[in-house]
Amino acid sequence: MLLIGFLISLYIAYGAHRRGALTETGALWAVVVGTLVFGFGDGIAGVALVAFFLSSTALGKLRRGERAESAEPSASIIEKGDSRDGLQVLANGGPAALFCCLYALTGRSMYLVGGLASLAAANADTWATELGLLSKSPPRHILTLQEVPAGTSGAISAIGTVGMVAGALFIALLTWLQPGQGSLLRTLLVLLGGIFGGWMDSVLGATLQEKRQCVRCGEATEQSRHVCGGATLVTEGIAGIDNDTVNALATMLGGTAATVAWYFLVGR
Ligand SMILES: [Zn+2]
């Protein structure tokens, strides 16, 4: 299974790198994550990983086509471009790889449920972000509900929230299809874990995540050096906690919540 996982991951990561969806380090880490998730995740986690990757890449492409006609709201706010790098791959897929390794080591099905839920959380967050960027009205801070500029971390919109639930549901329904293993309870916990992780992503993004401001032009941004060339300073949140850290925490929390719930309900 590991060898098959390695070959499938290599094929997909190489193709994604050639199309510009992954940077070089992004592709390398995608092979590591993919090999572990395919090799140790009972097959179904590998299917969920590919579904996450393909659907997010497709949504990103659609959104960029859409955005080309309207104003580009976020290029000077968002930290990174459209190719995913190694840290982004690890933040989204690392927890799933960890859960799948724990599943292989212990044989406890709760870890497989956790891995699937962490992928549902990653998918929920990505779909929410992609759809949220299409929102016509400005998003709101998840806790204060005040309007904030498009692209701000931790901001939510109606269409983004629909995207979040749909993203978690997509992975949850997919896991139901696994022959002999899919169950309504598992589907439900993957869905709830995914939504919880997606929600935590916004909460942590709005609270812990560092907010920076450009010293030259004064614009709020996630970049350590602003596109205008100015240096930036941390004005809110904890310095060093960036979008990737928040993403990793959120996918980990979504997976952990489902693991614990499965353990209490099923006992293994
Ligand atoms: Zn600036």
Side-chain angles (χ1 to χ4, degrees):
M1 257 335 259
L2 269 185
L3 180 65
I4 297 171
F6 173 73
L7 293 174
I8 295 174
S9 309
L10 193 65
Y11 174 74
I12 294 178
Y14 179 69
H17 175 56
R18 286 201 51 182
R19 289 189 178 86
L22 290 171
T23 66
E24 208 162 282
T25 53
L28 286 175
W29 280 112
V31 172
V32 174
V33 165
T35 302
L36 295 173
V37 169
F38 266 103
F40 294 143
D42 236 1
I44 189 65
V47 170
L49 180 68
V50 172
F52 157 65
F53 183 72
L54 293 183
S55 70
S56 328
T57 307
L59 271 182
K61 269 210 181 98
L62 275 177
R63 189 248 312 156
R64 281 194 293 285
E66 183 87 9
R67 248 186 359 189
E69 294 153 29
S70 62
E72 170 65 67
S74 49
S76 66
I77 298 179
I78 288 176
E79 185 181 4
K80 289 170 182 174
D82 288 320
S83 303
R84 277 178 232 226
D85 63 20
L87 287 174
Q88 282 169 301
V89 169
L90 280 177
N92 282 303
L98 187 68
F99 278 116
C100 288
C101 290
L102 285 171
Y103 172 62
L105 284 171
T106 65
R108 285 173 175 265
S109 52
M110 63 179 188
Y111 291 122
L112 180 60
V113 178
L116 295 172
S118 78
L119 289 170
N123 204 53
D125 176 47
T126 309
W127 283 32
T129 305
E130 294 296 351
L131 286 176
L133 286 170
L134 296 177
S135 181
K136 298 278 184 269
S137 49
R140 289 169 186 276
H141 190 282
I142 191 168
L143 300 175
T144 66
L145 296 180
Q146 278 172 332
E147 286 190 356
V148 288
T152 305
S153 288
I156 56 166
S157 62
I159 184 173
T161 306
V162 170
M164 183 183 93
V165 175
L169 186 65
F170 177 61
I171 298 295
L173 289 177
L174 206 62
T175 68
W176 205 353
L177 301 177
Q178 186 185 14
Q181 297 296 317
S183 70
L184 183 59
L185 178 64
R186 191 175 76 171
T187 301
L188 198 65
L189 290 186
V190 170
L191 172 66
L192 292 177
I195 291 174
F196 176 66
W199 180 72
M200 282 312 290
D201 200 283
S202 292
V203 171
L204 296 174
T207 53
L208 294 190
Q209 187 174 332
E210 61 175 23
K211 312 285 181 300
R212 290 176 167 272
Q213 196 177 19
C214 175
V215 291
R216 185 194 266 182
C217 70
E219 195 181 351
T221 180
E222 287 185 4
Q223 298 153 350
S224 47
R225 182 158 290 277
H226 197 222
V227 280
C228 77
T232 61
L233 291 175
V234 175
T235 51
E236 275 177 72
I238 299 173
I241 301 218
D242 61 6
N243 199 265
D244 293 329
T245 319
V246 164
N247 241 314
L249 282 172
T251 44
M252 195 70 217
L253 284 169
T256 304
T259 303
V260 171
W262 181 266
Y263 180 72
F264 277 112
L265 292 169
V266 181
R268 55 195 165 84

